[in-house]
Amino acid sequence: MLLPGSAATLSSHVEDVGQVMMRPEEEQLLFTYLGQARTFFEFGVGASTLQIASRTPHLERQVGVDLDKRWIDRVRKHTWLRNGSLPATQRIKLLYVHIGKTSSFGYPVENASRCKRLERFCRVVAGPEAGSECNKSTQCMNGLVGRRNWWPAFSEAVLDATKRYRHGWDAVLVDSRFRTACALKSFFATRQEHISRSVVMVHDYARRKHLYGEIERFAKLEVMTGSLAVFRKKHDVDPIILQRTIRAYEYDPS
């Protein structure tokens, strides 16, 4: 995922997509853990997705999800994926998760109440002669403006992929919206017997710990370099408490 940053903080560059928005030492930590992984899931698609695909041919599966359809289509059409130059391109799946309209950097636009008012106006007041405002209502009802109850679908993507592919994830990178929920659901997808080999990495953790600190209730902070934190699920996690906490953060897009 591309986030604001100065050139001094950037690491690898991918032509036509941009920079991997990590410091070099953070990227090194990422690839240290990916070197031991067989399966990888990424919240937030971008230059990092392509770099990982090119530098980790040993991965058996790589799945990335994003909230911006135009952006993920741009990454899908990148030369590295189109011309088959990457090893085992077929193991890479990039998925769009629809939660309605998003603004800069995937922030969801919630406007369901306005949609309902427009729908009522067009149905009761304006009638068949409705004009442009009712066209907006139709756009609302067709899902072009987000509804809050769609938001959990993004963090749920890691659980959906676990069911679809019938395996867990050796490494998960959380670098998009809904980071606490994404991390917690990644722990929920981690079976007890896989704790020793499964890690969840959260980018921007150091400077946003006040937002994401709940993660440490359920996982041990194994190492942090720069702002990239690596967590390993605790062995004594109560799944009921974890589920309850997930519900409290599913609607937090920070």
Side-chain angles (χ1 to χ4, degrees):
M1 180 181 183
L2 298 182
L3 297 173
S6 65
T9 69
L10 303 182
S11 187
S12 305
H13 178 269
V14 177
E15 188 176 358
D16 297 328
V17 175
Q19 300 282 354
V20 177
M21 303 303 287
M22 292 184 179
R23 297 175 183 272
E25 61 271 22
E26 294 171 346
E27 192 175 355
Q28 183 177 359
L29 179 64
L30 170 65
F31 281 100
T32 295
Y33 279 90
L34 288 178
Q36 306 165 26
R38 296 173 301 169
T39 58
F40 172 64
F41 190 95
E42 181 180 25
F43 287 101
V45 167
S48 62
T49 307
L50 295 169
Q51 281 287 357
I52 290 165
S54 67
R55 294 171 58 181
T56 56
H58 64 279
L59 284 177
E60 297 171 10
R61 192 176 308 281
Q62 177 181 345
V63 178
V65 295
D66 205 273
L67 291 166
D68 187 326
K69 189 176 189 304
R70 285 183 296 179
W71 175 246
I72 201 168
D73 285 344
R74 180 176 170 182
V75 176
R76 283 171 176 162
K77 294 174 182 177
H78 191 272
T79 305
W80 290 3
L81 295 178
R82 282 192 296 106
N83 65 9
S85 61
L86 291 180
T89 303
Q90 65 274 11
R91 66 178 167 83
I92 303 165
K93 300 293 182 184
L94 305 183
L95 308 173
Y96 164 62
V97 178
H98 175 64
I99 64 167
K101 185 178 180 180
T102 57
S103 60
S104 301
F105 308 111
Y107 200 91
V109 177
E110 181 189 4
N111 211 357
S113 60
R114 181 173 180 271
C115 285
K116 290 177 181 177
R117 288 197 301 272
L118 276 172
E119 182 187 38
R120 189 179 305 113
F121 169 80
C122 294
R123 176 167 44 85
V124 177
V125 181
E129 303 301 322
S132 60
E133 282 301 301
C134 290
N135 291 332
K136 291 180 182 178
S137 174
T138 301
Q139 291 177 352
C140 283
M141 294 306 111
N142 286 339
L144 299 183
V145 176
R147 292 177 178 81
R148 194 171 183 268
N149 63 337
W150 293 347
W151 294 2
F154 185 64
S155 53
E156 193 74 12
V158 68
L159 295 173
D160 293 340
T162 300
K163 294 174 185 175
R164 177 179 179 181
Y165 297 112
R166 299 181 182 179
H167 63 67
W169 306 96
D170 294 338
V172 175
L173 175 61
V174 180
D175 196 9
S176 188
R177 293 295 171 189
F178 306 98
R179 294 193 196 197
T180 300
C182 290
L184 296 182
K185 288 187 181 180
S186 298
F187 299 141
F188 199 81
T190 303
R191 295 179 180 177
Q192 196 75 7
E193 63 268 26
H194 296 160
I195 287 176
S196 62
R197 75 170 193 233
S198 299
V199 295
V200 176
M201 295 173 275
V202 181
H203 195 220
D204 292 327
Y205 186 79
R207 64 190 182 91
R208 296 181 182 176
K209 188 174 180 179
H210 62 290
L211 297 174
Y212 310 144
E214 195 73 5
I215 293 171
E216 293 191 48
R217 281 185 63 191
F218 304 97
K220 178 183 178 182
L221 177 59
E222 188 161 285
V223 63
M224 182 160 61
T225 298
S227 197
L228 180 63
V230 180
F231 295 96
R232 200 176 296 275
K233 182 181 177 181
K234 294 178 179 178
H235 285 273
D236 59 350
V237 169
D238 184 326
I240 296 176
I241 296 176
L242 177 56
Q243 280 187 313
R244 189 180 304 150
T245 307
I246 286 171
R247 287 195 292 270
Y249 284 91
E250 285 182 312
Y251 300 94
D252 178 2
S254 60

